[in-house]
């Protein structure tokens, strides 16, 4: 996650939404929640988190690609997708879960986590185009 954030040229403080791998297995969800807390830090309570697997199932090899698309649409539409069927929170996963209904928010940056057996873990970071344009614009106004 840290590498994806750095590669995107942003900071953890700009992440407003995470499409978690979130398979609803206790070990996976607790590990991912702990990693998110370590990466985002004290601002984790401000980050909307959901797993769209709860809406469409685990699409195995296609999951990462579909969830990347979900992140792009979430940024474009300003909507954090719902984590469907979320009824009983795990105290070890005390994140800002999007439950009940999707949430209308401005998303400056989003992360899409895909975690696999044997340590095949991937994270993609996406930025809102206006955030990138603003950064590029400020760089051109302040030449070295």
């Amino acid at each position: 996650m840290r590498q994806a954030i750095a590669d995107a040229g942003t900071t953890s403080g700009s992440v407003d939404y995470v499409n978690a791998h979130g398979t609803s297995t206790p070990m996976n969800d607790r590990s991912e929640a702990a990693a998110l807390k370590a990466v985002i830090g004290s601002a984790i309570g401000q980050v909307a988190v959901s797993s769209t697997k709860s809406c469409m199932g685990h699409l195995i090899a296609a999951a990462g690609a579909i969830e990347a698309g979900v992140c792009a649409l979430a940024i474009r539409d300003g909507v954090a997708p719902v984590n469907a069927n979320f009824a009983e929170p795990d105290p070890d996963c005390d994140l800002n879960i999007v439950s009940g209904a999707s949430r209308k928010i401005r998303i400056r940056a989003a992360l899409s986590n895909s975690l696999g057996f044997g340590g095949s873990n991937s994270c993609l970071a996406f930025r809102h185009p206006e955030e990138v344009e603003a950064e590029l614009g400020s760089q051109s106004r302040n030449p070295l």
Side-chain angles (χ1 to χ4, degrees), residues 1-138:
M1 287 184 270
R2 286 184 178 115
Q3 288 175 342
I5 291 167
D7 285 348
T10 192
T11 66
S12 61
S14 294
V15 174
D16 295 311
Y17 172 66
V18 174
N19 189 299
H21 184 70
T23 54
S24 283
T25 56
M27 184 188 315
N28 173 75
D29 290 355
R30 290 174 185 157
S31 296
E32 188 172 14
L36 283 167
K37 290 176 187 178
V39 170
I40 306 295
S42 62
I44 191 63
Q46 306 306 310
V47 177
V49 178
S50 66
S51 173
T52 50
K53 285 178 184 70
S54 65
C55 298
M56 58 188 141
H58 197 318
L59 302 173
I60 311 301
I66 297 296
E67 292 166 2
V70 166
C71 284
L73 293 171
I75 289 171
R76 182 194 74 183
D77 298 339
V79 175
V82 68
N83 194 89
N85 305 309
F86 182 74
E88 189 175 325
D90 180 334
D92 291 329
C93 299
D94 56 340
L95 301 172
N96 182 7
I97 305 294
V98 180
S99 62
S102 295
R103 190 180 302 160
K104 188 84 173 152
I105 61 170
R106 184 167 195 288
I107 301 172
R108 296 168 295 162
L111 299 180
S112 179
N113 286 338
S114 295
L115 314 176
F117 293 115
S120 175
N121 302 320
S122 301
C123 178
L124 296 175
F126 300 86
R127 293 177 65 192
H128 195 291
E130 291 173 1
E131 295 292 316
V132 176
E133 290 168 6
E135 182 179 304
L136 292 175
S138 68

